[in-house]
Amino acid sequence: MAVNCAAGGGAVGSLPCGDCGPCRRIAAGSHPDVLVLEPAGKEFRIDQVRELCRELALKPYEGRHRVALIAGAERLNPHAANALLKVLEEPPERTLIVLTAPQAADLLPTIVSRCRQLRFKPIAARHLAAILERAHGVPAAEAEAVADTAGGSVTRALAMLRQGWPEKRRRLLAELPELAGGPPLRALLLAASVSRARSEAEEVLGLVASWVRDLAFAAEGVAHLVNRDVRGEIAEAAGRLPGDFAPRAWEALQRAERRLAANVQPRAVLEALFLELAAAGSLPARSGAGAVNPSGNPG
Ligand SMILES: [Zn+2]
């Protein structure tokens, strides 16, 4: 965006406006001079790389610069990497080739030696929300919610949108207050409905964390909540659940994160977490001044 922005002038170090035609087309993935290459399956095929080299030999269509993004370059096998060497060594004029990888050590040394290394920082949640809103037409509340969970990555945010995350999030946020203090069966059914993939389980943990944080903040009267669109429901739950629900839920979440990182099955992780949330919501308050116990147990 910075090198093709119509407003920024393309000067070294200038930031893209995010609003002009080229910026919007780049953010929407429809700019003809921004080529994104992703692996076909587990690895890049050599003909994908050859096709890219052929395209790069042509002049840019409309941009001042052409940009080729090779996303996940750690999945270039040696043949595909070798096919890329020549164009990396002598890139066509006005062409930027960007290879992303978790770390340089994941790439062949012959590739690394032909590149300059840059560290890409995660994008701040509010900037990410603005990108989703302006370039992708995502409603503000949804954009903020996705940005909060996407870990600063546009790619991840867009994947979450494609996979219907806003809808899943709404459903989970409606379900969580019922789950806390509810019957165990409810917890098991909820786990069964969301836990197909590890990445989805991670997103669910992120969402539960934001909900628990909001509950704790709401109980203390803090106005700034992450899930602002369900502020009323969160305030209601904060008033109803035992005073020590949030710290107990937080401990359960940390256990769940450790278990997911240790490769325990996502569904088993979520079942245990939701059962703990159900139990924590039905315990008599230990210290919650003003908290109302919904379960009717003598407290
Ligand atoms: Zn611009």
Side-chain angles (χ1 to χ4, degrees):
M1 273 195 200
V3 294
N4 281 316
C5 176
V12 173
S14 71
L15 292 172
C17 71
D19 224 19
C20 68
C23 280
R24 282 172 181 266
R25 281 198 293 285
I26 290 169
S30 62
H31 194 295
D33 292 315
V34 176
L35 311 169
V36 180
L37 200 65
E38 285 172 307
K42 282 197 166 148
E43 287 184 332
F44 286 95
R45 290 191 322 263
I46 189 164
D47 54 310
Q48 283 184 283
V49 174
R50 286 190 180 134
E51 174 63 31
L52 176 72
C53 294
R54 269 195 297 275
E55 273 194 71
L56 290 181
L58 306 171
K59 282 200 159 57
Y61 289 93
E62 59 169 83
R64 280 190 289 267
H65 288 83
R66 194 168 29 192
V67 179
L69 169 63
I70 301 177
E74 73 278 10
R75 287 189 273 175
L76 285 164
N77 67 34
H79 299 294
N82 282 327
L84 196 62
L85 284 182
K86 193 177 170 325
V87 75
L88 287 182
E89 200 153 62
E90 293 175 38
E93 263 184 77
R94 296 186 291 141
T95 298
L96 285 168
I97 304 169
V98 180
L99 294 84
T100 66
Q103 51 188 358
D106 294 338
L107 306 176
L108 285 179
T110 46
I111 294 273
V112 177
S113 68
R114 286 165 172 80
C115 297
R116 292 193 207 176
Q117 289 189 45
L118 299 172
R119 286 191 172 277
F120 285 86
K121 283 184 279 192
I123 303 169
R126 68 193 161 91
H127 292 311
L128 182 49
I131 291 172
L132 297 176
E133 234 186 294
R134 281 194 286 188
H136 298 274
V138 180
E142 248 167 47
E144 286 179 21
V146 169
D148 275 323
T149 316
S153 158
V154 176
T155 311
R156 178 140 183 228
L158 292 178
M160 288 166 69
L161 286 167
R162 272 199 307 277
Q163 291 154 12
W165 174 251
E167 182 49 46
K168 287 178 201 163
R169 170 182 172 272
R170 270 195 295 277
R171 200 166 55 80
L172 274 167
L173 284 174
E175 190 67 31
L176 284 170
E178 306 292 324
L179 174 77
L185 180 62
R186 188 159 205 146
L188 297 177
L189 287 176
L190 184 62
S193 75
V194 293
S195 55
R196 267 166 245 119
R198 186 163 299 274
S199 61
E200 190 172 333
E202 281 168 7
E203 285 156 14
V204 169
L205 292 191
L207 179 78
V208 176
S210 74
W211 179 73
V212 172
R213 206 164 43 222
D214 280 352
L215 271 184
F217 279 9
E220 297 293 329
V222 178
H224 180 82
L225 302 185
V226 171
N227 299 293
R228 288 177 281 284
D229 51 332
V230 290
R231 176 190 304 279
E233 290 86 334
I234 285 173
E236 187 277 328
R240 175 173 57 83
L241 291 167
D244 61 353
F245 175 79
R248 279 164 182 260
W250 198 253
E251 285 165 22
L253 260 169
Q254 288 180 325
R255 277 192 290 279
E257 275 167 15
R258 280 197 298 272
R259 297 182 72 210
L260 201 62
N263 266 335
V264 177
Q265 283 233 335
R267 173 143 170 204
V269 172
L270 291 182
E271 279 179 355
L273 170 66
F274 291 159
L275 284 171
E276 285 188 82
L277 294 184
S282 60
L283 289 172
R286 281 195 301 218
S287 60
V292 178
N293 181 353
S295 68
N297 292 340

PDB file of all heavy atoms in Angstrom, residues 5-7 17-20 23, ligand 1:
ATOM      1  N   CYS A   5       0.167   3.845  -2.880  1.00  0.00           N
ATOM      2  CA  CYS A   5      -0.882   4.763  -2.433  1.00  0.00           C
ATOM      3  C   CYS A   5      -0.919   6.007  -3.320  1.00  0.00           C
ATOM      4  O   CYS A   5       0.112   6.598  -3.614  1.00  0.00           O
ATOM      5  CB  CYS A   5      -0.629   5.174  -0.980  1.00  0.00           C
ATOM      6  SG  CYS A   5      -1.808   6.395  -0.382  1.00  0.00           S
ATOM      7  N   ALA A   6      -2.127   6.395  -3.763  1.00  0.00           N
ATOM      8  CA  ALA A   6      -2.266   7.574  -4.626  1.00  0.00           C
ATOM      9  C   ALA A   6      -2.109   8.850  -3.819  1.00  0.00           C
ATOM     10  O   ALA A   6      -1.761   9.896  -4.356  1.00  0.00           O
ATOM     11  CB  ALA A   6      -3.631   7.553  -5.316  1.00  0.00           C
ATOM     12  N   ALA A   7      -2.345   8.795  -2.522  1.00  0.00           N
ATOM     13  CA  ALA A   7      -2.262   9.999  -1.690  1.00  0.00           C
ATOM     14  C   ALA A   7      -0.868  10.180  -1.104  1.00  0.00           C
ATOM     15  O   ALA A   7      -0.397  11.292  -0.914  1.00  0.00           O
ATOM     16  CB  ALA A   7      -3.289   9.925  -0.560  1.00  0.00           C
ATOM     17  N   CYS A  17      -2.589   5.833   2.854  1.00  0.00           N
ATOM     18  CA  CYS A  17      -3.760   6.488   3.444  1.00  0.00           C
ATOM     19  C   CYS A  17      -4.825   5.463   3.804  1.00  0.00           C
ATOM     20  O   CYS A  17      -5.632   5.678   4.701  1.00  0.00           O
ATOM     21  CB  CYS A  17      -4.322   7.522   2.471  1.00  0.00           C
ATOM     22  SG  CYS A  17      -5.123   6.787   1.024  1.00  0.00           S
ATOM     23  N   GLY A  18      -4.841   4.321   3.131  1.00  0.00           N
ATOM     24  CA  GLY A  18      -5.846   3.293   3.417  1.00  0.00           C
ATOM     25  C   GLY A  18      -7.200   3.588   2.801  1.00  0.00           C
ATOM     26  O   GLY A  18      -8.136   2.806   2.945  1.00  0.00           O
ATOM     27  N   ASP A  19      -7.305   4.717   2.103  1.00  0.00           N
ATOM     28  CA  ASP A  19      -8.610   5.215   1.676  1.00  0.00           C
ATOM     29  C   ASP A  19      -8.725   5.435   0.162  1.00  0.00           C
ATOM     30  O   ASP A  19      -9.820   5.476  -0.379  1.00  0.00           O
ATOM     31  CB  ASP A  19      -8.878   6.538   2.394  1.00  0.00           C
ATOM     32  CG  ASP A  19     -10.299   6.612   2.918  1.00  0.00           C
ATOM     33  OD1 ASP A  19     -10.937   5.533   3.041  1.00  0.00           O
ATOM     34  OD2 ASP A  19     -10.765   7.723   3.175  1.00  0.00           O
ATOM     35  N   CYS A  20      -7.581   5.616  -0.517  1.00  0.00           N
ATOM     36  CA  CYS A  20      -7.631   5.918  -1.957  1.00  0.00           C
ATOM     37  C   CYS A  20      -7.961   4.640  -2.739  1.00  0.00           C
ATOM     38  O   CYS A  20      -8.001   3.550  -2.175  1.00  0.00           O
ATOM     39  CB  CYS A  20      -6.295   6.501  -2.417  1.00  0.00           C
ATOM     40  SG  CYS A  20      -4.951   5.300  -2.356  1.00  0.00           S
ATOM     41  N   CYS A  23      -5.256   1.849  -2.459  1.00  0.00           N
ATOM     42  CA  CYS A  23      -5.226   1.282  -1.103  1.00  0.00           C
ATOM     43  C   CYS A  23      -6.410   0.355  -0.886  1.00  0.00           C
ATOM     44  O   CYS A  23      -6.281  -0.748  -0.354  1.00  0.00           O
ATOM     45  CB  CYS A  23      -5.239   2.389  -0.045  1.00  0.00           C
ATOM     46  SG  CYS A  23      -3.612   3.143   0.210  1.00  0.00           S
TER      47      CYS A  23
HETATM   48 ZN    ZN B   1      -3.866   5.402  -0.391  1.00  0.00          ZN
END
